[in-house]
Amino acid sequence: MISYKDLGLVNSREIFAKAMKGGYAIPAFNFNNMEQLQAIIQACVETKSPVILQVSSGARKYANQTLLRYMAQGAVEYAKELGYNIPIVLHLDHGDSFELCKSCIDFGFSSVMIDGSHLPYDENVALTKKVVEYAHKHDVTVEGELGVLAGVEDEVSAEQHTYTRPEEVQDFVSKTGVDSLAISIGTSHGAFKFKPGQKPEIRLDILYEIEKRLPGFPIVLHGSSSVPQDIVAEINKYGGALKDSIGIPEEQLRAAAKSAVCKINIDSDGRLAMTAAVRKVFAEKPEEFDPRKYLGPARDKLKELYKHKVINVLGSNDKA
Ligand code: G3H
Ligand code: 13P
Ligand code: ZN
């Protein structure tokens, strides 16, 4: 059993409480490799923001859970070396079983998500409660989910959003004991969130209704990439073929961050930024073959994107 506390990591309880009071949200950025992790830490140190490092099942398969955990442990020291001791949470993104959550908790994660959103309500309650009971014994915080996002979530795909039903949230939170709740209000995973002609709009009215029923309770938004059109254009300019990629307008996320939303998940925008930078190098310098010469610029572009998110979308700058 390895406790995250011995690794210098923190759980999400205190940073969420502060975010709730301060009207901002904590960035939750996914990482799968060293360059992504460096960009996240550099951006959050330079903006003095707390950060949640997220590891998905896909990341565990790609990079190996052991390696990722040691990298997060290293990130604590790396942040200090860069000059600022920011709060860092290591979080399991979209955990799909009790066993997976337990293995992450036992291995030094400070926070886990148990995503039972695709299960019948009572099964979601039972699974989430079981994870919470184990996690809380180790002072690890737990995120649950109610409602299903359209698109692919947790390797389950849904054609349409099943919005979170505000009338269920109090019952779910009190029966499970979760520390935060991910909700479905029109965000979705990936770079194609709306069809052309569709108004890119999330249901802030549902969020406010949930907030009324759970005053002061931390809410999480998944699928919150904005798919910056200048980055999409750059990808396409340098040989990419992304068509009709549309994301969540940043001002809607900013409004959500001012409310009970304490955690905003962003992954796809980072993928787009890295892709644009790598494509540019390949197009302009076809003779280049040193990975540092294309992953370096990708890391720089990612860092700039994350700094922009922290300052202009999350509002978590200077809150570390
Ligand atoms: O929830 C989705 C995240 O963007 C992680 O994606 O499962 O491809 O690593 P992934
Ligand atoms: P995006 O695909 O919109 O970046 O969402 C990421 C996410 O929700 C990770 O859990
Ligand atoms: Zn997600």
Side-chain angles (χ1 to χ4, degrees), residues 30-32 54-62 93-94 113 115 149 152-155 189-190 222-223 225 265-268 271:
N30 292 68
F31 80 106
N32 299 261
Q54 302 206 128
V55 171
S56 70
S57 292
R60 290 173 65 255
K61 272 182 219 152
Y62 176 77
D93 193 22
H94 294 283
M113 174 188 194
D115 182 356
L149 276 64
V152 180
E153 186 176 31
D154 200 14
E155 289 169 10
H189 292 103
H222 281 249
S225 278
N265 288 12
I266 298 170
D267 187 5
S268 298
R271 297 178 182 194

Side-chain angles (χ1 to χ4, degrees), residues 170-192:
Q170 279 164 307
D171 184 69
F172 186 81
V173 167
S174 70
K175 279 187 179 151
T176 59
V178 276
D179 303 283
S180 61
L181 182 68
I183 60 169
S184 169
I185 56 167
T187 62
S188 58
H189 292 103
F192 307 92

Side-chain angles (χ1 to χ4, degrees), residues 83-284:
Y84 210 76
N85 192 9
I86 54 171
I88 300 177
V89 175
L90 179 60
H91 176 78
L92 169 68
D93 193 22
H94 294 283
D96 61 355
S97 68
F98 171 77
E99 290 71 25
L100 173 57
C101 292
K102 180 179 182 302
S103 114
C104 288
I105 293 165
D106 292 351
F107 197 55
F109 281 56
S110 59
S111 174
V112 294
M113 174 188 194
I114 176 69
D115 182 356
S117 59
H118 53 282
L119 297 172
Y121 182 80
D122 289 340
E123 287 176 40
N124 187 4
V125 168
L127 176 62
T128 305
K129 185 169 188 276
K130 189 174 173 191
V131 171
V132 169
E133 280 168 3
Y134 186 76
H136 283 182
K137 278 189 203 146
H138 302 282
D139 205 17
V140 166
T141 39
V142 181
E143 174 184 326
E145 179 165 341
L146 265 183
V148 182
L149 276 64
V152 180
E153 186 176 31
D154 200 14
E155 289 169 10
V156 177
S157 67
E159 264 298 297
Q160 276 197 322
H161 302 286
T162 307
Y163 294 120
T164 306
R165 291 156 48 89
E167 54 277 25
E168 283 179 352
V169 296
Q170 279 164 307
D171 184 69
F172 186 81
V173 167
S174 70
K175 279 187 179 151
T176 59
V178 276
D179 303 283
S180 61
L181 182 68
I183 60 169
S184 169
I185 56 167
T187 62
S188 58
H189 292 103
F192 307 92
K193 301 184 192 297
F194 299 94
K195 304 231 157 46
Q198 231 180 354
K199 199 169 176 203
E201 200 161 50
I202 54 173
R203 293 286 303 272
L204 289 171
D205 58 312
I206 300 179
L207 167 64
Y208 298 145
E209 186 56 40
I210 291 170
E211 190 175 0
K212 245 191 251 162
R213 290 167 190 252
L214 288 175
F217 189 80
I219 300 297
V220 177
L221 285 189
H222 281 249
S224 296
S225 278
S226 295
V227 191
Q229 292 301 302
D230 55 328
I231 296 181
V232 172
E234 201 174 339
I235 290 174
N236 290 339
K237 176 178 165 193
Y238 292 112
L242 291 182
K243 234 182 127 241
D244 305 328
S245 331
I246 305 167
I248 312 294
E250 287 188 344
E251 57 283 4
Q252 292 181 32
L253 295 168
R254 187 72 201 100
K258 285 185 180 151
S259 76
V261 169
C262 291
K263 171 176 180 270
I264 295 188
N265 288 12
I266 298 170
D267 187 5
S268 298
D269 282 354
R271 297 178 182 194
L272 292 168
M274 291 189 91
T275 302
V278 170
R279 279 197 176 280
K280 186 169 190 288
V281 174
F282 284 166
E284 289 178 348

